[in-house]
Amino acid sequence: MGQTFFKVGSIMMNNPQSPSIDNIKSVLHTYDKALRPQVAQCQDIRELLELVCDSCQLDDISVLEFFVNEFNIEEAKSVIKEYKKAIEELKATKLSQCLNERISYASPLECEIVTIFVDEVANKSVFNDVKRLSSAVFKDLSQHIRLNVVEDDNSFTITCSFPLILSEQLITAALNNIDVLKENKVKKLTIGYCTVYEVNDTSTPTKCGLMKQMMLSLNVQLINSTAENTTIKKEAKLLKEKAESSKNEADLLKKEAESLKKESGSLKETLDTKNKMLSAYKAESDKLEKKAGINNVIAIVH
């Protein structure tokens, strides 16, 4: 997957028609709210693509595909198509062939790990069954869950990573789909520190684990909110500085215009004075010519 993002990034970096970083940020803000705090911190297109890559699942690069289509980056469309073809082949692969293979980097934090213990042998399932189970349990939120590894024992274990700020939504979704967990022979489901479901345990999630997970999630949301507010304040400050700079430029232009107006008025006065002088000179000249004409006539008569 990383190679695909690298190729798309290279195409965008070398294409003068590619969208600006601000345009891409705007699209990502709209497309995926969970990425907003991190998007604000990205300084260039490469960092944005790395962020999107880290948030994508192996079999779902819809975010990348979305803005490739949104900005009509033709050269990158073939790269997306090639990757999707390879993924379709992977989906049909027996799960037993993917055991203990690292699909993506797992979060180093336990609070960002989903673990699903399935009471079934891996060779009865295909890779796509993992995606299907995730979608059935977490619904639309499954797009934010990134598969890390499938491990084998007498049954198999699915380990995934997720953004900590989605803890409450994921736990709620799972609790609403307990029947799905039972139908798919899930023995146990943990989301971070919270054991959401366990066979033969009809109680609600343990209060200690749930509270710990929720407190961590709320703290991260607060930190992200603070960081986002700081970024917004910085952007607002820059806009204010630009506005003040524009105002100063406008004031300067106004002063220059007033100065030009005064100069224009002064030139007009000078021209008027010269026109009057020319008129007076012409009148005097005409008078002298007339007098000279009379003198000539008198001289001829004599």
Side-chain angles (χ1 to χ4, degrees):
M1 182 168 67
Q3 283 295 319
T4 298
F5 276 82
F6 178 79
K7 288 179 182 178
V8 172
S10 297
I11 290 169
M12 293 177 67
M13 298 290 281
N14 294 320
N15 186 351
Q17 302 300 319
S18 290
S20 68
I21 184 171
D22 289 334
N23 285 337
I24 296 176
K25 281 186 175 183
S26 177
V27 169
L28 288 176
H29 265 95
T30 304
Y31 187 87
D32 193 342
K33 292 181 180 179
L35 292 178
R36 285 183 180 179
Q38 298 98 308
V39 166
Q41 305 301 318
C42 293
Q43 301 298 315
D44 55 37
I45 292 176
R46 187 73 68 189
E47 287 185 6
L48 280 170
L49 289 177
E50 286 176 359
L51 172 63
V52 173
C53 182
D54 290 341
S55 68
C56 280
Q57 300 180 57
L58 178 69
D59 61 342
D60 185 4
I61 56 170
S62 54
V63 180
L64 181 64
E65 184 178 12
F66 175 78
F67 75 73
V68 164
N69 291 331
E70 180 75 9
F71 296 113
N72 199 29
I73 307 171
E74 289 295 337
E75 197 176 345
K77 289 181 180 179
S78 60
V79 178
I80 299 292
K81 186 177 180 180
E82 182 182 346
Y83 184 84
K84 290 175 72 175
K85 182 180 178 181
I87 288 301
E88 287 305 313
E89 295 174 0
L90 175 64
K91 286 181 178 180
T93 303
K94 285 286 186 181
L95 201 56
S96 55
Q97 295 178 252
C98 308
L99 293 175
N100 303 312
E101 293 287 339
R102 187 181 66 192
I103 308 301
S104 66
Y105 288 100
S107 169
L109 305 175
E110 184 179 346
C111 59
E112 291 186 331
I113 295 294
V114 170
T115 308
I116 307 172
F117 301 87
V118 183
D119 189 17
E120 190 170 70
V121 290
N123 60 14
K124 289 186 178 180
S125 302
V126 294
F127 189 86
N128 195 48
D129 289 331
V130 175
K131 172 72 173 180
R132 180 187 55 77
L133 176 58
S134 176
S135 298
V137 175
F138 300 113
K139 303 300 181 184
D140 293 342
L141 293 168
S142 64
Q143 64 178 307
H144 301 293
I145 298 176
R146 190 173 69 255
L147 176 64
N148 303 139
V149 67
V150 178
E151 298 172 311
D152 189 30
D153 198 355
N154 295 325
S155 53
F156 64 90
T157 303
I158 304 166
T159 304
C160 310
S161 299
F162 71 97
L164 182 57
I165 59 174
L166 295 179
S167 296
E168 183 179 0
Q169 295 96 313
L170 290 173
I171 291 170
T172 301
L175 288 173
N176 289 334
N177 290 290
I178 295 296
D179 288 343
V180 174
L181 297 174
K182 293 178 179 178
E183 289 168 8
N184 286 275
K185 299 182 179 180
V186 173
K187 293 192 298 182
K188 185 178 180 181
L189 168 65
T190 63
I191 298 177
Y193 293 107
C194 179
T195 299
V196 179
Y197 169 78
E198 190 167 8
V199 171
N200 300 325
D201 183 359
T202 58
S203 64
T204 55
T206 55
K207 185 175 290 187
C208 180
L210 178 61
M211 289 299 293
K212 185 176 182 179
Q213 187 67 23
M214 295 310 299
M215 286 300 295
L216 287 169
S217 177
L218 289 171
N219 284 336
V220 169
Q221 289 180 55
L222 180 61
I223 291 169
N224 286 343
S225 178
T226 302
E228 195 168 0
N229 285 337
T230 301
T231 301
I232 291 171
K233 285 180 180 178
K234 286 181 180 178
E235 291 176 352
K237 184 179 178 182
L238 285 173
L239 287 173
K240 184 180 179 182
E241 289 174 353
K242 287 181 180 178
E244 289 176 351
S245 177
S246 297
K247 184 177 181 299
N248 291 336
E249 288 179 6
D251 290 341
L252 183 61
L253 288 172
K254 185 178 178 182
K255 288 179 181 178
E256 289 180 356
E258 289 174 351
S259 176
L260 288 171
K261 185 177 179 182
K262 287 180 181 178
E263 288 181 13
S264 176
S266 177
L267 285 172
K268 186 175 182 300
E269 289 178 2
T270 301
L271 286 172
D272 288 343
T273 301
K274 288 186 176 182
N275 283 333
K276 288 178 181 178
M277 290 175 65
L278 284 171
S279 296
Y281 175 78
K282 187 174 183 299
E284 185 66 24
S285 178
D286 290 343
K287 186 177 178 181
L288 289 172
E289 285 181 4
K290 187 175 181 181
K291 185 176 180 181
I294 293 172
N295 289 336
N296 287 336
V297 170
I298 293 172
I300 292 170
V301 171
H302 287 290

